[in-house]
Amino acid sequence: MVVRISSGSSPTGAVYYNENKVGKGEAERLAVRNYRGVKLPVQELGLATVAAKLEQQAELNPKIKKPTFHASLSLAQGEKLPPAEMLAIADRYMDGLGYGKQPYVVYQHFDTDHPHLHIVSVRVDSAGKKVPDTYERERSNKLRQDMEKEFGLQVAEKATLRPERDQLQPVEYGKGDLKRDISAVVNGVLKDFTFSSFTQFNQLLGIYNVKATEVAMEGKKPGLVYSAIDSNKVTQGAAFRASSLPLQPIMETLNRRMNAGKKVKGDRVARLRSLAEPILKASNSWDGFQQLLSKAGVEVIPHLGKDGNLFGISFIDVRQRAIYTGSELGKNFTAGSLKTQLGDTYTPPSRREVPEPKQKQSRGEDQEKSVRKSKSENEKVTNQKQEKEPEPMHNLDLVKQLLYAIGRGGDEQESEEELKRMLKRAHKPRLS
């Protein structure tokens, strides 16, 4: 089971979100608890009645700016329990976390492959005091582990509730469940990557044939929809609202990730810059520059206009799984500066075969093997100078290479000593 907790300023907003799902047939209101004075059956209550009780209690302490407690409890795919047992799980969770005497409403959602509950309550008790929330997430995690044993649920650490890095695959329109595949990419990128702008988020999604689009919403903040795209960035099939996808990757979530990404990247960019600067100095062609960077764990994502001219460039630090613009990396790494040093016409890296994942070796064995491989490759290039020039790597090949690189473990990166040897050989592009 996976549990997520969020806070908000308006209990009505959280109730409306769930009631909207009920109205669409995507959820069911299972119960209201501690709604003293309310005698109608749970299914006959209106939205106003459900929300009013929570609002009234929240108003007992206006100093609490975010009185809404909103939790989601997700079971593993394939775990199907009757409503009575789902409700028992909700009650056990609220009681264990200290909200058992609070008014709360329980919903069961059916809009994903994972059966899940939503519980809406308030952080203000009947005396107007704040419900203690010290170490709430830590207590919730311990409670979740206990409940997995009590109810015989799959352990969250072992259940495949979210896509792993090496399972992330480009969406192929017309194959499989489009909504499920788009959701896997979106939530996989949110989980695995660090970015600091909406553009960078879309660049990462684009690697996997997905696009995020802001949409205007009357009287509300802009919303998000996600859709599949082809190699020409043309939308394919239906677009799906962010709130309808598992884990709800809405704009609020995206903004939090972007703000956090700015700080994280600010702390890490110095390491990446120190890695990339000597490679740039040793490079005199786009081909050599990109291959050396790739060996060091950095992938180049060019941004080309319709005329094929390079107007922007991004760098993905594979080891840290963070994306940077050229200007974030440094003035020497902007598209204009790179064209001055490496050539006005951008060329993709030479075609090369992406190796199979190798078994983990000791550092000494890995370095020795790498040195032998480099010598062999140098001899091969010398003996075959007159052979046909390698074909340029097409977009799909670049994506495959990037996907492989993202799936590699940190232990499989080239060592600093090998990188130095590569730089010494960088006076001419090395084919691999």
Side-chain angles (χ1 to χ4, degrees):
M1 184 171 70
V2 169
V3 179
R4 291 182 178 81
I5 300 174
S6 62
S7 302
S9 59
S10 170
T12 299
V15 169
Y16 177 82
Y17 165 77
N18 286 281
E19 292 291 337
N20 189 43
K21 294 279 189 180
V22 173
K24 294 180 179 180
E26 298 176 349
E28 177 185 1
R29 189 196 305 146
L30 293 183
V32 292
R33 297 297 198 220
N34 304 318
Y35 271 57
R36 297 174 183 86
V38 177
K39 298 182 179 180
L40 287 174
V42 63
Q43 300 301 336
E44 295 181 19
L45 297 176
L47 184 156
T49 302
V50 175
K53 181 65 176 177
L54 301 178
E55 289 285 357
Q56 290 168 6
Q57 187 137 332
E59 290 170 0
L60 296 177
N61 191 338
K63 292 182 179 180
I64 299 177
K65 301 302 181 183
K66 291 188 175 183
T68 307
F69 173 89
H70 191 176
S72 66
L73 285 63
S74 300
L75 277 60
Q77 187 173 356
E79 283 189 319
K80 294 183 179 181
L81 303 178
E85 194 162 353
M86 294 289 281
L87 186 55
I89 289 173
D91 291 338
R92 171 71 177 90
Y93 178 77
M94 293 298 279
D95 187 59
L97 202 59
Y99 287 83
K101 296 181 180 180
Q102 294 293 99
Y104 63 89
V105 55
V106 182
Y107 299 89
Q108 181 175 359
H109 287 220
F110 311 106
D111 55 342
T112 71
D113 294 335
H114 308 291
H116 62 289
L117 298 166
H118 279 250
I119 310 171
V120 182
S121 185
V122 286
R123 299 180 181 276
V124 182
D125 67 17
S126 58
K129 297 181 180 180
K130 185 176 182 180
V131 177
D133 62 353
T134 306
Y135 300 112
E136 187 173 70
R137 282 175 169 74
E138 290 80 358
R139 290 188 289 113
S140 173
N141 189 53
K142 176 62 170 61
L143 176 60
R144 184 263 305 167
Q145 293 172 337
D146 292 341
M147 289 176 60
E148 286 171 345
K149 296 177 182 178
E150 292 174 21
F151 290 90
L153 303 175
Q154 287 192 44
V155 178
E157 287 81 356
K158 296 180 180 179
T160 309
L161 294 178
R162 292 198 289 178
E164 298 296 332
R165 256 194 339 271
D166 57 358
Q167 294 176 327
L168 213 54
Q169 296 294 331
V171 171
E172 294 186 61
Y173 179 69
K175 297 182 179 180
D177 185 317
L178 183 62
K179 185 174 183 179
R180 181 195 62 201
D181 293 345
I182 288 177
S183 175
V185 167
V186 172
N187 289 313
V189 167
L190 284 170
K191 170 179 175 284
D192 280 339
F193 289 90
T194 299
F195 52 90
S196 55
S197 71
F198 187 72
T199 297
Q200 290 179 343
F201 178 56
N202 251 327
Q203 288 168 359
L204 292 169
L205 292 179
I207 296 171
Y208 304 98
N209 300 338
V210 175
K211 178 178 69 174
T213 305
E214 283 192 89
V215 292
M217 301 183 68
E218 187 174 353
K220 298 180 180 180
K221 296 179 180 179
L224 272 183
V225 296
Y226 296 96
S227 54
I229 56 176
D230 62 16
S231 58
N232 296 316
K233 309 301 180 185
V234 177
T235 301
Q236 296 183 304
F240 299 97
R241 291 178 294 106
S243 59
S244 74
L245 299 181
L247 307 185
Q248 300 171 15
I250 59 177
M251 183 59 76
E252 182 181 356
T253 301
L254 194 56
N255 285 331
R256 287 199 301 268
R257 291 301 310 276
M258 290 189 294
N259 290 333
K262 291 176 183 178
K263 183 181 186 306
V264 171
K265 293 198 318 185
D267 294 338
R268 293 175 176 175
V269 70
R271 185 202 70 83
L272 181 61
R273 189 179 295 122
S274 65
L275 180 69
E277 281 178 343
I279 290 177
L280 178 58
K281 289 179 181 178
S283 302
N284 56 15
S285 71
W286 282 104
D287 184 64
F289 176 61
Q290 290 173 100
Q291 291 202 44
L292 286 171
L293 274 181
S294 183
K295 285 289 186 181
V298 181
E299 297 293 337
V300 171
I301 305 297
H303 309 306
L304 307 174
K306 293 182 180 179
D307 55 2
N309 288 328
L310 182 75
F311 66 85
I313 195 162
S314 295
F315 299 86
I316 293 185
D317 183 340
V318 172
R319 190 174 300 176
Q320 300 291 346
R321 293 183 289 283
I323 184 171
Y324 297 81
T325 63
S327 57
E328 285 178 325
L329 196 55
K331 63 181 181 180
N332 292 332
F333 294 91
T334 62
S337 296
L338 290 174
K339 286 197 289 186
T340 299
Q341 178 164 342
L342 304 176
D344 191 58
T345 301
Y346 168 80
T347 55
S350 300
R351 181 182 295 278
R352 62 184 176 196
E353 184 177 345
V354 177
E356 293 295 325
K358 56 187 177 182
Q359 295 182 349
K360 188 174 180 180
Q361 299 172 320
S362 68
R363 182 176 293 271
E365 291 175 336
D366 193 49
Q367 290 182 7
E368 182 180 353
K369 190 172 182 180
S370 180
V371 170
R372 291 199 304 269
K373 180 181 178 182
S374 297
K375 290 180 180 179
S376 174
E377 288 169 343
N378 283 338
E379 291 173 359
K380 184 176 180 180
V381 171
T382 302
N383 295 332
Q384 299 180 355
K385 283 184 179 180
Q386 304 304 320
E387 284 194 0
K388 181 175 66 173
E389 288 294 319
E391 298 177 27
M393 180 177 287
H394 298 292
N395 289 340
L396 182 59
D397 299 307
L398 183 60
V399 169
K400 288 179 180 177
Q401 178 182 339
L402 180 58
L403 290 173
Y404 172 74
I406 290 169
R408 289 187 306 203
D411 290 338
E412 295 178 7
Q413 300 293 341
E414 297 288 344
S415 66
E416 292 184 7
E417 291 77 7
E418 170 61 12
L419 178 58
K420 292 177 182 178
R421 285 192 287 270
M422 288 161 50
L423 291 172
K424 290 180 181 180
R425 298 192 299 269
H427 60 280
K428 59 176 66 177
R430 181 172 66 84
L431 305 179
S432 56

